């Protein structure tokens, strides 16, 4: 496993991180969840990503149990706040009240005294940015949070936060967590240039497009048994990748991966790691063998001719429009 700097901060992260959205507390049983975490640890993964909202708060509990007893200094625990964790109007968003309450609940569920990275899961259009940034800064000063980050914020939203933090002397954002993979490149034109300038690293999610880039979903066939797309708890978001034109083109990537001595999943993870703006790729897994396969993408170098072949094959199916990054206009 290779390790990278998280943006311009002093924190090192494993360039492949393990995340538990959809899986822990939902799609997979506790023993499989623990086996995936153990496989990640055995492979040198030190960085673990979750969120208060995953599996109705159960995902943090599962991860907390799986990591319990490990040397705390040897791992980095990342979680997030924004999406609803309860029925009330203050159980969501980035108000001072919800940030403080959700942070304390996450600390309890994760069984830890501090979070290495606390991320605003979306931009909250109903809370003044200064209020959210001050609340995050207070958590940092209290030692409950070491670094702060955002997720799926637009370039102008990140820029506004950097400016306010600079003016008020508040702790600055060190990371952004966007979706990024061979098919979804919407951060390349605006978010990445701004973040590079501001020293903000990308910790990218769904590097294999939730499984769509593994080649296991075949054009014209139903999803294979046991896959995310076949599971009613799978969230449904994967469907946008399971179109005939996308799956046809993904199938054409198979020989490209084979020529490079990689599986399709490894090629997909290696592809996001070629971008120096990326601090880590967060992989998900429903079983430990997937972790063991995908972590082998760490350290792989892809040559420019191969990258060009990928672009030529995926062609019009690649999404690049920065406007596709969006947070809800109102709190959910
Ligand atoms: N900030 C955000 O808004 C946000 C949103 C989404 C995710 N995330 C973060 O990113 C993490 C990863 O997201 P993700 O789970 O969508 O990532 P992903 O790595 O693109 O997809 C993981 C899924 O693909 C399948 N898979 C993985 N390796 C495979 C292999 N070698 N062969 C066949 N199938 C394989 C598994 O599903 P099946 O076996 O069930 O098919 C696995 O659960 C999340 O856990 C979370 O931490 C953040």
């Amino acid at each position: 496993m290779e390790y990278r700097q998280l943006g311009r901060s002093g924190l090192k992260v494993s360039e492949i991180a393990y995340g538990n959205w959809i899986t822990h507390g939902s799609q997979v049983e506790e023993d499989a969840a623990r086996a995936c975490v153990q496989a990640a640890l055995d492979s040198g993964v030190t960085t673990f990503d979750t969120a208060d909202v995953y599996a109705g708060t159960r995902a943090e509990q599962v991860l907390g149990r799986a990591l319990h007893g490990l040397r705390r200094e040897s791992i980095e625990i990342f979680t997030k706040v924004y999406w609803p964790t309860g029925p009330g109007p203050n159980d969501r968003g980035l108000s001072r009240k919800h940030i403080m309450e959700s942070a304390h609940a996450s600390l309890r569920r994760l069984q830890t005294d501090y979070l290495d990275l606390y991320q605003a899961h979306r931009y909250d259009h109903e809370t003044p940015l200064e209020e959210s940034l001050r609340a995050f800064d207070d958590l940092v000063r209290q030692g409950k949070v070491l670094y702060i980050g955002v997720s799926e914020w637009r370039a102008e939203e990140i820029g506004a936060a950097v400016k306010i933090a600079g003016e008020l002397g508040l702790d600055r954002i060190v990371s952004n967590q966007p979706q990024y993979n061979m098919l979804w490149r919407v951060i390349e034109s605006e978010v990445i240039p701004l973040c590079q300038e501001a020293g903000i690293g990308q910790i990218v999610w769904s590097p294999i497009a939730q499984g769509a880039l593994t080649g296991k979903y075949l054009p014209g066939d139903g999803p294979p048994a046991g896959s995310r797309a076949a599971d009613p708890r799978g969230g449904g978001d994967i469907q946008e990748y399971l179109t005939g034109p996308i799956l046809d083109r993904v199938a054409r990537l198979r020989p490209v991966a084979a020529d490079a001595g990689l599986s399709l999943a490894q090629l997909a993870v290696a592809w996001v790691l070629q971008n120096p703006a990326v601090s880590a790729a967060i992989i998900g897994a429903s079983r430990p063998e997937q972790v063991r396969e995908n972590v082998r993408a760490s350290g792989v170098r892809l040559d420019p001719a191969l990258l060009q072949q990928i672009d030529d094959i995926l062609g019009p199916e690649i999404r690049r429009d920065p406007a596709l990054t969006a947070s809800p206009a109102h709190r959910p």
Side-chain angles (χ1 to χ4, degrees):
M1 178 61 58
E2 296 193 1
Y3 300 85
R4 296 189 184 191
Q5 209 88 9
L6 184 59
R8 217 181 282 146
S9 79
L11 185 69
K12 297 274 186 186
V13 294
S14 50
E15 67 176 10
I16 297 181
Y18 175 78
N20 72 354
W21 174 55
I22 290 189
T23 53
H24 294 187
S26 178
Q27 190 195 358
V28 308
E29 300 299 332
E30 180 113 1
D31 52 351
R34 282 175 185 263
C36 287
V37 169
Q38 193 56 51
L41 291 164
D42 292 344
S43 311
V45 170
T46 56
T47 307
F48 293 85
D49 183 75
T50 185
D52 55 356
V53 69
Y54 292 169
T57 71
R58 290 187 305 279
E60 284 188 334
Q61 293 171 22
V62 174
L63 187 64
R65 287 193 288 271
L67 296 176
H68 187 66
L70 289 172
R71 183 173 177 271
R72 184 65 183 83
E73 296 86 340
S74 301
I75 50 173
E76 303 85 45
I77 302 178
F78 295 0
T79 192
K80 320 185 191 81
V81 55
Y82 170 85
W83 294 102
T85 49
N90 282 317
D91 292 325
R92 59 206 67 216
L94 300 178
S95 67
R96 169 174 283 275
K97 177 171 172 65
H98 187 55
I99 288 175
M100 289 296 167
E101 288 171 349
S102 197
H104 288 106
S106 289
L107 289 169
R108 281 194 296 274
R109 287 189 291 263
L110 287 161
Q111 303 185 49
T112 180
D113 297 331
Y114 64 90
L115 304 167
D116 293 277
L117 180 74
Y118 199 36
Q119 304 157 98
H121 210 158
R122 290 295 182 273
Y123 188 84
D124 181 356
H125 293 280
E126 296 186 30
T127 301
L129 189 47
E130 184 181 328
E131 174 178 333
S132 307
L133 295 175
R134 280 193 188 278
F136 281 120
D137 185 69
D138 286 345
L139 285 168
V140 172
R141 283 168 199 267
Q142 291 166 2
K144 292 172 181 170
V145 165
L146 306 190
Y147 296 94
I148 57 174
V150 299
S151 172
E152 289 293 339
W153 282 27
R154 287 177 185 244
E156 63 266 28
E157 295 162 347
I158 296 172
V162 169
K163 185 164 179 284
I164 291 175
E167 284 167 2
L168 301 180
L170 302 174
D171 205 65
R172 64 182 190 86
I173 292 166
V174 299
S175 64
N176 176 43
Q177 187 178 132
Q179 179 170 195
Y180 187 53
N181 58 53
M182 288 193 272
L183 290 162
W184 193 265
R185 307 188 190 181
V186 307
I187 55 171
E188 287 181 347
S189 61
E190 295 182 359
V191 169
I192 285 185
L194 180 125
C195 286
Q196 280 187 307
E197 174 115 19
I200 294 169
Q202 310 299 315
I203 327 168
V204 307
W205 57 269
S206 295
I208 60 168
Q210 302 197 43
L213 285 169
T214 65
K216 72 180 177 182
Y217 297 102
L218 300 172
D221 277 9
S227 65
R228 182 176 292 186
D231 192 320
R233 296 159 300 184
D237 291 356
I238 190 178
Q239 294 304 331
E240 68 187 280
Y241 285 119
L242 303 183
T243 67
I246 289 180
L247 297 181
D248 280 337
R249 287 171 189 270
V250 170
R252 287 168 50 201
L253 289 176
R254 191 177 290 281
V256 177
D259 279 353
L262 302 169
S263 71
L264 270 172
Q266 289 163 347
L267 178 71
V269 177
W271 184 89
V272 303
L273 292 174
Q274 303 309 297
N275 191 327
V278 169
S279 295
I282 318 172
I283 60 165
S286 64
R287 46 207 85 152
E289 50 276 22
Q290 293 173 344
V291 176
R292 287 191 279 270
E293 176 183 337
N294 300 358
V295 292
R296 289 174 57 208
S298 175
V300 168
R301 307 281 176 262
L302 302 176
D303 70 55
L306 186 149
L307 295 173
Q308 188 59 52
Q309 259 183 305
I310 292 172
D311 291 358
D312 293 343
I313 289 171
L314 295 178
E317 298 308 322
I318 299 171
R319 296 289 166 266
R320 298 182 187 275
D321 181 0
L324 289 168
T325 296
S327 297
H330 299 283
R331 283 188 202 156

